[in-house]
């Protein structure tokens, strides 16, 4: 066990260290099962072990630390029991804490990492509780690599369906192959393995080598980032756990405007992610008459503007619609060829599921009209669709109780961002604590939560853990 001050200081240091583990020197990027993602898991594992946890790694790439129960602190509890646990006794039912260790491209260092590291720090302060606690570092929450989110937490609750295993990344690697490679200890094509503290990585400029530092604990200890970590399947069935609690930066401005360090989440907004394809005809840029062209990019551009128009409509904006096109691929992608096909990613969120579905249907209709008017074809593929998820009343009340002495408020706020709790909620009650982040900025390298606010969140989590029955 550690003093609060020691654990807090280590937490702040670890946030910095984990923020250095990246696939792209000069920017923080750790996508699902990339080398850096696996190195991050190994680094987190070393901290979990230091905090007295047994560490395992599941087939979905999630790192898990288990802190066994302190038998003397055990108390009976009768809610949410599975058959197995009734036989074993309720004391075995674990509480889950954590967040994700993957990042977006050119990310900030708090999104995800904070929730994993603060859980370890809190348990360093409390020591074992009356029941087991599992700390989870999910391998994928952002969905960058396969354009479908929550892969780590999905696997943990048994929701990674066979159809998802066929999804392919930009290199054509299927999700199933990616998981097999990680299981077999192989990295992705073109990725070497760290052998010393300073390693050479491929520069974006062909043939030019750049140097990037890797934390010594990773490269000194490990041949393959996952070696030494037990691979095991772990899965949480309905009713088997006390709940899942995640600490995360707010990624919006509510707490900043209220002048409060932390707040408690009421619900997580629903979201749909789609891949839209606009198909036309590639042709010569210098000879094809303008009125005969089937330019997929000009059609896609109109669609993107239709997305923006819909989300900026004052009624939709006031109701909380958020719609974004954040990725666009143009084929064949040459300056002197009319674009024959464009694929773009549509991210569509609304606090009200019915409205999300209604507005999305209308928008897809507009895409069809835009395409038809230009002699193009439009296709939409839903990559994922999640309903809004309310947080559990009892766990939320406990978090509010723990936060109130610090902030003087019982602040509840919604989450527009998606979180692993969406998946975990299919098998257990969930709750979330938000930490103020500067200017609400996130998914950006300047993302920042002050040491004081991180310390405040640690205090609340420790207090919360001490009060959970
Ligand atoms: C996760 O960061 C999201 O996209 O909401
Ligand atoms: Mn994120
Ligand atoms: Mn996140």
């Amino acid at each position: 066990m550690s003093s609060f001050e020691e654990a807090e200081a280590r937490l702040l240091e670890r946030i910095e260290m984990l923020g250095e583990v990246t696939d792209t020197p000069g920017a923080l990027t750790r996508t699902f099962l990339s080398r850096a993602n696996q190195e991050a898991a190994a680094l987190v594992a070393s901290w979990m072990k230091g905090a007295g946890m047994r560490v395992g790694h599941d087939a979905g790439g999630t790192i898990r630390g288990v802190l066994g129960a302190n038998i003397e602190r055990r108390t009976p509890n009768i809610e949410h029991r599975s058959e197995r646990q009734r036989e074993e006794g309720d004391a075995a039912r674990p509480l889950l804490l954590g967040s994700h260790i993957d990042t977006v491209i050119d990310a900030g260092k708090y999104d995800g990492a904070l929730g994993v590291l603060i859980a370890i720090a809190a348990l360093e302060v409390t020591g074992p509780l009356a029941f087991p606690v599992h700390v989870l570092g999910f391998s994928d929450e952002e969905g960058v690599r396969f354009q479908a989110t929550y892969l780590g937490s999905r696997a943990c609750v048994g929701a990674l369906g066979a159809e998802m295993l066929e999804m392919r990344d930009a290199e054509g690697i299927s999700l199933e192959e990616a998981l097999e490679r990680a299981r077999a200890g192989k990295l992705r094509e073109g990725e070497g393995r760290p052998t010393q503290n300073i390693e050479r990585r491929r520069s974006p400029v062909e043939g030019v080598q750049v140097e990037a530092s890797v934390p010594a604990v990773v490269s000194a200890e490990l041949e393959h980032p996952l070696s030494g970590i037990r691979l095991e399947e772990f899965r949480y069935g309905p009713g088997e756990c006390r709940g899942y609690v995640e600490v995360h930066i707010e990624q919006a401005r509510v707490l900043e405007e209220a002048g409060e360090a932390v707040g408690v989440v009421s619900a997580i907004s629903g979201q749909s992610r789609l891949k839209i394809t606009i198909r036309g005809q590639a042709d010569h840029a210098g000879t094809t008459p303008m009125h005969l062209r089937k330019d997929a990019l000009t059609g896609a551009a109109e669609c993107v503007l239709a997305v923006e128009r819909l989300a900026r409509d004052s009624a939709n904006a006031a109701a909380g619609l958020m719609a974004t096109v954040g990725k666009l691929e143009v084929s064949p992608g040459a300056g002197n060829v009319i674009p024959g096909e464009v694929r773009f990613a549509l991210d569509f969120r609304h606090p009200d599921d019915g409205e999300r579905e209604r507005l999305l249907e209308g928008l897809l209709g507009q895409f069809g009209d835009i395409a038809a008017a230009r002699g193009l074809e439009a296709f939409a593929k839903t990559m994922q669709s999640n309903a809004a998820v309310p947080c559990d009343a009892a766990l939320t009340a406990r978090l509010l109780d723990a936060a109130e002495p610090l902030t003087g408020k019982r602040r509840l706020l919604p989450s527009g961002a998606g979180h692993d709790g969406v998946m975990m909620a299919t098998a257990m009650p969930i709750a979330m604590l938000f930490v103020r982040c500067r200017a609400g900025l996130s998914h950006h390298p300047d993302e920042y939560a002050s040491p004081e606010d991180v310390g405040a969140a640690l205090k609340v989590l420790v207090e919360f853990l001490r009060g959970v029955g």
Side-chain angles (χ1 to χ4, degrees):
M1 273 166 67
S2 304
S3 72
F4 182 87
E5 291 70 25
E6 284 165 347
E8 183 185 29
R10 267 198 305 266
L11 167 60
L12 295 170
E13 195 184 347
R14 288 172 184 172
I15 291 171
E16 298 304 317
M17 286 177 76
L18 200 55
E20 292 296 313
V21 182
T22 177
D23 286 308
T24 53
L28 173 55
T29 303
R30 280 197 306 262
T31 56
F32 179 59
L33 293 181
S34 71
R35 175 176 55 185
N37 187 298
Q38 297 182 45
E39 286 173 6
L43 191 53
V44 168
S46 70
W47 294 330
M48 287 170 163
K49 281 183 193 151
M53 299 180 201
R54 272 188 300 114
V55 178
H57 203 284
D58 87 338
T62 291
I63 187 84
R64 174 175 75 166
V66 174
L67 190 65
N70 177 345
I71 310 265
E72 283 160 28
R73 288 196 193 172
R74 281 185 173 178
T75 52
N77 189 319
I78 53 165
E79 296 166 280
H80 307 297
R81 292 186 303 181
S82 69
E83 268 316 309
R84 197 186 82 205
Q85 282 159 337
R86 258 179 236 131
E87 283 159 22
E88 287 178 357
D90 279 308
R93 258 176 2 118
L95 175 72
L96 313 187
L97 304 174
S99 190
H100 56 100
I101 57 167
D102 70 316
T103 72
V104 293
I105 295 165
D106 200 8
K109 54 182 173 259
Y110 299 87
D111 180 357
L114 173 65
V116 181
L117 300 178
I118 203 167
I120 299 172
L123 293 171
E124 286 171 350
V125 177
T126 62
L129 300 172
F131 43 83
V133 182
H134 297 187
V135 178
L136 302 168
F138 297 113
S139 50
D140 173 274
E141 185 271 350
E142 304 286 7
V144 171
R145 183 170 175 190
F146 286 98
Q147 287 188 47
T149 60
Y150 312 133
L151 298 182
S153 42
R154 235 178 248 281
C156 282
V157 293
L160 197 61
E163 72 296 344
M164 294 198 77
L165 295 175
E166 289 165 18
M167 295 184 304
R168 294 195 177 268
D169 69 6
E171 293 164 24
I173 299 170
S174 72
L175 175 54
E176 186 167 20
E177 285 159 10
L179 291 168
E180 279 306 319
R181 284 178 196 205
R183 207 192 295 250
K186 286 188 197 136
L187 292 164
R188 274 159 83 178
E189 292 302 328
E191 291 176 338
R193 64 175 192 210
T195 51
Q196 52 185 343
N197 204 20
I198 300 293
E199 58 155 335
R200 300 203 165 269
R201 295 188 190 207
R202 188 174 292 167
S203 156
V205 181
E206 209 47 54
V208 178
Q209 297 289 318
V210 291
E211 286 188 341
S213 75
V214 172
V217 63
V218 174
S219 47
E221 231 179 47
L222 304 166
E223 272 227 320
H224 178 274
L226 294 187
S227 69
I229 295 177
R230 206 153 46 92
L231 275 166
E232 59 183 38
E233 302 280 350
F234 54 84
R235 189 162 290 187
Y236 300 107
E240 288 185 355
C241 301
R242 285 180 146 71
Y244 170 74
V245 177
E246 173 168 349
V247 178
H248 203 284
I249 50 165
E250 184 201 341
Q251 307 178 288
R253 296 174 181 78
V254 175
L255 293 173
E256 190 167 75
E257 280 166 12
E260 292 160 28
V262 295
V264 180
V265 175
S266 51
I268 304 173
S269 278
Q271 61 170 289
S272 303
R273 296 202 187 188
L274 291 94
K275 195 191 249 181
I276 309 293
T277 302
I278 306 291
R279 199 165 291 150
Q281 170 78 59
D283 209 333
H284 199 291
T287 59
T288 313
M290 296 306 289
H291 70 285
L292 291 179
R293 295 180 177 208
K294 291 184 178 175
D295 184 334
L297 182 55
T298 50
E302 258 196 67
C303 294
V304 174
L305 291 174
V307 172
E308 188 192 43
R309 219 171 17 252
L310 183 73
R312 291 187 68 159
D313 166 86
S314 52
N316 291 337
L321 173 64
M322 299 273 175
T324 307
V325 174
K327 185 175 182 188
L328 191 133
E329 294 164 340
V330 180
S331 296
N336 62 348
V337 182
I338 296 164
E341 186 174 294
V342 171
R343 295 164 298 282
F344 65 86
L346 174 65
D347 180 308
F348 203 82
R349 309 186 190 201
H350 200 291
D352 180 315
D353 293 325
E355 273 296 276
R356 174 170 49 86
E357 280 160 20
R358 187 183 70 78
L359 292 169
L360 183 58
E361 200 181 310
L363 182 64
L364 295 181
Q366 280 191 58
F367 290 174
D369 293 345
I370 291 167
R374 292 174 164 271
L376 306 168
E377 291 176 296
F379 306 90
K381 181 169 182 198
T382 301
M383 304 304 287
Q384 92 173 61
S385 175
N386 294 114
V389 172
C391 291
D392 175 68
L395 289 174
T396 298
R398 267 301 306 144
L399 274 179
L400 286 166
D401 292 345
E404 192 175 3
L406 217 91
T407 59
K409 297 269 168 54
R410 292 179 77 79
R411 167 80 54 196
L412 270 174
L413 68 172
S415 174
H419 296 288
D420 291 299
V422 168
M423 277 299 134
M424 301 311 277
T426 61
M428 65 195 73
I430 65 152
M432 289 193 75
L433 181 72
F434 268 176
V435 184
R436 167 170 54 188
C437 72
R438 188 173 59 194
L441 183 66
S442 185
H443 286 184
H444 188 280
D446 293 342
E447 178 181 278
Y448 178 75
S450 73
E452 295 74 26
D453 288 356
V454 170
L458 179 59
K459 244 189 211 112
V460 173
L461 186 57
V462 167
E463 194 45 43
F464 168 83
L465 291 174
R466 287 184 169 146
V468 176

